[in-house]
Amino acid sequence: MKLGTRTLVAGLMMVAGVAIAAEATDPTVKARQELMDTIAMNTGVLGKMAGGENPFDAAAAEGAKAAIATAAAEIAAKFEPQATDPKTTAKEDIWANWDDFVKKADALKAAAEGMDATTLEGVQAGMGGIGGSCKDCHTSYRIPS
Ligand code: HEC
């Protein structure tokens, strides 16, 4: 059971593209990449607890959950200017399908808010929704690296 959860979480983290890839110089692109890095870092905190790599810590879990929800609420504002940079991995489809992109950002916010971060089981149960919303948006709107 424990191994199963760990494998699942590792898989989710991989599909989410958690590896920090590009480093843009355009300030708008840089800011949105940094927002994603914040989201990824906090997802990593939850993922390591869920997988048993780190012990469960309710305060840290709550902090990470709140940080993801707050950052998810900033996705639309940070991505709205259609800035570009040689190092961006954002697809132009974002701005052609803006409402759908915002819907996917809202889905991440809802998944984070819906997670019960007070117990390990709650975090484990919530990881699927969070990881799934990263993957859902990246599949449509991020150039795979
Ligand atoms: C609403 C869409 C959306 C959601 C939801 C989303 N991402 Fe992203 N993410 C993007 C886009 C678009 C980029 C490419 C940004 C760029 O390079 O300009 C990106 C880039 C990234 C990057 C690379 C940042 C860099 O420094 O280049 C990481 C890491 C990342 N996302 C992690 C995550 C994780 C983890 C989640 C879920 C917890 C998530 N993202 C949810 C759209 C999304």
Side-chain angles (χ1 to χ4, degrees):
M1 172 61 203
K2 200 165 181 188
L3 195 84
T5 306
R6 182 175 307 182
T7 309
L8 176 74
V9 171
L12 286 171
M13 299 298 283
M14 270 169 62
V15 292
V18 160
I20 290 166
E23 265 181 50
T25 47
D26 178 272
T28 305
V29 175
K30 207 173 161 176
R32 73 192 187 208
Q33 290 181 339
E34 281 169 6
L35 182 71
M36 280 295 151
D37 291 341
T38 300
I39 292 173
M41 199 189 75
N42 286 286
T43 305
V45 169
L46 295 172
K48 282 182 181 162
M49 281 186 221
E53 197 176 319
N54 284 344
F56 178 69
D57 174 337
E62 188 57 43
K65 167 191 156 158
I68 295 169
T70 302
E74 290 173 21
I75 292 176
K78 291 254 160 112
F79 277 81
E80 197 173 14
Q82 193 177 353
T84 194
D85 185 282
K87 292 280 177 72
T88 189
T89 58
K91 289 188 187 168
E92 292 194 358
D93 292 356
I94 292 171
W95 297 279
N97 301 279
W98 181 249
D99 290 351
D100 183 57
F101 181 79
V102 173
K103 214 162 79 187
K104 291 186 191 316
D106 289 344
L108 173 59
K109 182 167 181 279
E113 285 172 349
M115 169 184 268
D116 170 15
T118 62
T119 66
L120 175 60
E121 291 70 26
V123 170
Q124 287 172 336
M127 278 309 288
I130 291 180
S133 52
C134 318
K135 180 171 185 274
D136 186 39
C137 189
H138 288 176
T139 301
S140 300
Y141 298 118
R142 189 178 173 206
I143 301 161
S145 45

